[in-house]
Amino acid sequence: MKNFLWGAATSAHQAEGGNFSNDWWQFEQGGFIHDGSSSNPSCDHYHQFERDLNLLKDLGCNAYRFSVEWSRVQPKEGVFSHREIDHYHRLLDSLLERDIIPVVTLHHFTNPLWFIAKGGWEQPGAIDYFVVYVQKMAEEYSGKVSCWLTINEPSVYVLLAFLAKYWPPQKRNLLSAAKVLNRLVKAHQAAYQLIHNRYSRAQVSFAHHMTVFDSWRNNFADNTATKIFDWLWNQYFLDRVRDQLDFIGLNYYTRQRISFPFKIFPTPGKEVGFAQWEFYPQGLLRILRRLKKYQLPIIITEFGMPHGFNVSPEENLQGGVEGIRRALSEGIGLRGFFYWSLMDNFEWREGLTPRFGLYEVDYQTQERRLRRVGERYKKLIKELKAEFGL
Ligand code: BGC
């Protein structure tokens, strides 16, 4: 198998620093970030990207997943910034010079303030605005990018922003949530088409966050609640866009138990202490087996675990890679793996405290240092390349 993608992932708002024109920056100014930190400068990836790409290369990676910040390249309705568009051209050129394949996300949770002022994703015209942005990105970057992710984790975005009141715009409204989710389905479908119109052989998907759900007790009530939850979270969006996918982009982190009526919790004793996650790397293989029926290539677009909690990110990675080994030997069409994240960065409402990086970042000096999990990743890439001829 050629061209298996070994990579690491970041997103613009989390890593770049200096994104002052989107809804997250506004939210951060409202004092909602738990540790009082902000996304500026985070790990200053906007200025440090050359160095960061060298660090990526040092790991033996041949691919990089990052996102374009919509509010940078289109700071006002109808206005594109050539300076910012050039920034991503430079980033792409730097990747290509190093033989690193870019995987570009177009929407990773943040929205331009001008788009929010019009009603964000709740307004009926949202897709038209998104389409203008995507069209421009496809025109600009299609010569350099063939692998695209339209939207990062639509279900996570809708849950946290429109049901849980946790992320901006902090709503709890079932109708809005349903509307936005369905609008994101259409946004993906439109973006898929636009990118293909520009370059018919492009590989387009979205990053789908999947969780293993197991019912707590084996009885009718818990099993039914689990099935409903699983359908809503894991299946709904994927099945709606089934005909507009060239591969499946999978973000996997954890398992949750479900008991009637809709109580969701990590298995007691296995909690990570981060976001109510459970330590369950073996879930990756379960999800991969489940995705086999789609008969589409699969790229793991995120997998990782933060430092400083009661579990080891190395062990988590090792567990995930065991799953990859099995999946490959079972003939599952896995084509890539991206660790979350290349280096520590801004973890949304939790701020800079959770550290997901293969590289540790000193936020005072902007120094980076390879962590044990980074060393392990490097070794595993080498081993799997040799073992499977990847
Ligand atoms: C998101 C990332 C986030 C990571 C860790 C994923 O759901 O795409 O932006 O940092 O999880 O929580």
Side-chain angles (χ1 to χ4, degrees):
M1 193 198 316
K2 274 199 188 125
N3 275 342
F4 189 93
L5 306 182
W6 287 110
T10 62
S11 88
H13 191 72
Q14 292 179 272
E16 285 177 351
N19 284 309
F20 303 130
S21 307
N22 67 32
D23 50 351
W24 263 89
W25 179 252
Q26 194 179 48
F27 185 63
E28 291 162 42
Q29 302 317 294
F32 292 105
I33 307 307
H34 289 163
D35 61 7
S37 63
S38 87
S39 63
N40 186 48
S42 184
C43 49
D44 194 31
H45 185 55
Y46 187 81
H47 300 107
Q48 314 277 341
F49 70 84
E50 295 275 359
R51 171 164 81 154
D52 293 337
L53 299 187
N54 290 340
L55 297 179
L56 181 74
K57 191 79 191 170
D58 284 349
L59 295 170
C61 288
N62 63 353
Y64 181 47
R65 176 184 172 213
F66 68 95
S67 72
V68 171
E69 174 60 33
W70 183 5
S71 66
R72 265 192 201 277
V73 296
Q74 194 180 12
K76 293 198 186 110
E77 184 187 348
V79 178
F80 283 98
S81 159
H82 295 295
R83 210 184 108 221
E84 299 296 352
I85 287 176
D86 280 352
H87 167 78
Y88 294 107
H89 269 299
R90 281 197 303 278
L91 172 55
L92 288 167
D93 292 341
S94 303
L95 285 162
L96 299 176
E97 275 162 23
R98 290 168 175 78
D99 281 325
I100 301 175
I101 297 165
V103 174
V104 176
T105 312
L106 290 163
H107 186 276
H108 199 122
F109 298 148
T110 56
N111 300 286
L113 283 173
W114 62 263
F115 174 78
I116 293 295
K118 292 184 178 296
W121 288 101
E122 288 170 274
Q123 64 184 308
I127 297 166
D128 300 333
Y129 291 117
F130 186 64
V131 155
V132 171
Y133 158 63
V134 175
Q135 173 76 34
K136 179 74 174 165
M137 297 302 100
E139 277 166 19
E140 287 289 337
Y141 304 132
S142 281
K144 298 176 184 174
V145 178
S146 55
C147 193
W148 300 83
L149 294 163
T150 56
I151 299 165
N152 182 64
E153 301 187 339
S155 352
V156 171
Y157 176 60
V158 169
L159 172 72
L160 298 182
F162 294 94
L163 284 174
K165 285 175 112 177
Y166 196 61
W167 284 1
Q170 291 193 282
K171 299 240 162 126
R172 177 165 291 141
N173 184 323
L174 198 55
L175 196 64
S176 297
K179 260 194 211 154
V180 171
L181 193 65
N182 285 300
R183 208 154 273 147
L184 292 173
V185 166
K186 298 219 170 72
H188 168 84
Q189 292 169 334
Y192 178 90
Q193 207 46 57
L194 283 175
I195 298 168
H196 276 275
N197 290 347
R198 197 73 208 175
Y199 177 49
S200 60
R201 289 169 59 197
Q203 298 292 299
V204 184
S205 187
F206 72 108
H208 187 31
H209 184 113
M210 291 183 80
T211 301
V212 171
F213 292 114
D214 282 328
S215 69
W216 179 234
R217 290 159 301 203
N218 187 15
N219 62 30
F220 180 74
D222 285 11
N223 289 342
T224 307
T226 307
K227 273 195 191 125
I228 293 172
F229 222 86
D230 185 75
W231 178 74
L232 278 169
W233 189 254
N234 287 327
Q235 222 49 67
Y236 179 76
F237 199 96
L238 184 61
D239 288 347
R240 286 287 308 276
V241 300
R242 170 69 185 86
D243 294 336
Q244 290 83 27
L245 293 177
D246 300 310
F247 66 95
I248 296 176
L250 166 68
N251 292 1
Y252 173 78
Y253 288 94
T254 191
R255 161 167 86 166
Q256 298 284 298
R257 311 305 289 257
I258 308 246
S259 73
F260 183 81
F262 300 115
K263 191 167 174 268
I264 306 170
F265 53 97
T267 306
K270 300 266 175 65
E271 304 91 344
V272 174
F274 176 78
Q276 288 291 309
W277 285 0
E278 172 175 339
F279 184 75
Y280 193 64
Q282 56 274 47
L284 182 64
L285 180 61
R286 286 178 63 185
I287 299 270
L288 290 173
R289 284 179 173 152
R290 171 176 174 175
L291 291 175
K292 199 175 173 182
K293 67 167 188 254
Y294 288 91
Q295 296 190 313
L296 282 171
I298 303 167
I299 296 178
I300 299 163
T301 38
E302 283 182 36
F303 179 91
M305 195 51 76
H307 293 260
F309 292 90
N310 51 334
V311 295
S312 125
E314 299 91 89
E315 225 179 281
N316 186 56
L317 176 61
Q318 189 72 47
V321 169
E322 288 318 317
I324 293 177
R325 256 199 186 104
R326 284 290 291 274
L328 289 171
S329 54
E330 286 173 18
I332 294 174
L334 191 57
R335 297 284 184 274
F337 175 85
F338 288 80
Y339 192 82
W340 183 272
S341 180
L342 176 58
M343 65 249 161
D344 297 340
N345 56 48
F346 179 71
E347 179 54 28
W348 306 112
R349 206 168 160 167
E350 282 67 36
L352 295 172
T353 304
R355 288 169 170 268
F356 276 88
L358 293 167
Y359 287 90
E360 180 185 349
V361 174
D362 179 329
Y363 290 116
Q364 302 302 319
T365 62
Q366 289 301 340
E367 269 163 51
R368 278 93 163 116
R369 210 178 50 226
L370 187 63
R371 283 211 172 87
R372 276 218 301 276
V373 65
E375 284 164 20
R376 179 73 65 94
Y377 188 36
K378 193 171 175 174
K379 187 165 162 271
L380 287 168
I381 293 176
K382 216 184 259 166
E383 278 174 22
L384 266 84
K385 272 185 179 166
E387 202 173 321
F388 291 92
L390 297 171

